[in-house]
Amino acid sequence: QVQLVESGGGSVQSGGSLRLSCAAARYPDNTYYMGWFRRAAGKEREGVATIALDGRTSYLDSVKGRFTISRDDANTIYLQMNSLKPEDTAMYYCAAQRTFGLDSASVRDWGQGTQVTVSS
């Protein structure tokens, strides 16, 4: 089981920026696919962005052009969130995935989550 440690959440006003980080530890092999998911109050969890070790990325339509997922090694990923909107308010979860994509069914391990709150 991969341990995922997130950081970087917080509160920001609409139009502001935040950067989330996630480090994977205690894993037997490289975590090829990693991603960010979120769950807003009263809503289903949704995939926000995913990245493969070869650099391929995929994004939720509503965050394209505003969010950027990146990784600086096999085990650490980031989510740069710009032009944040109140509808981005959610608990954000880092994930180690079995396959590439934004489907929660692809997730092998979850982080504990970090709260992002955007006020208008």
Side-chain angles (χ1 to χ4, degrees):
Q1 184 177 2
V2 175
Q3 182 185 27
L4 301 168
V5 181
E6 302 128 328
S7 61
S11 297
V12 65
Q13 289 190 327
S14 182
S17 298
L18 286 172
R19 189 190 195 210
L20 306 182
S21 301
C22 173
R26 295 209 313 235
Y27 57 97
D29 53 15
N30 286 344
T31 305
Y32 198 86
Y33 306 109
M34 294 183 72
W36 292 97
F37 292 72
R38 69 185 182 188
R39 176 177 280 163
K43 295 187 177 181
E44 295 290 320
R45 180 152 46 191
E46 60 182 356
V48 176
T50 186
I51 186 166
L53 194 57
D54 62 10
R56 286 175 293 151
T57 59
S58 181
Y59 293 93
L60 180 69
D61 283 347
S62 62
V63 308
K64 287 180 180 177
R66 300 189 297 120
F67 290 12
T68 303
I69 189 170
S70 61
R71 66 195 298 171
D72 61 4
D73 58 32
N75 312 311
T76 304
I77 65 169
Y78 306 93
L79 186 68
Q80 178 66 43
M81 304 184 292
N82 298 329
S83 302
L84 281 161
K85 304 176 181 180
E87 52 263 44
D88 294 317
T89 295
M91 185 71 78
Y92 284 70
Y93 298 89
C94 178
Q97 300 175 256
R98 298 180 189 87
T99 58
F100 183 75
L102 300 177
D103 188 345
S104 295
S106 70
V107 176
R108 184 183 69 196
D109 299 287
W110 292 101
Q112 80 283 359
T114 185
Q115 179 67 37
V116 171
T117 302
V118 185
S119 58
S120 57

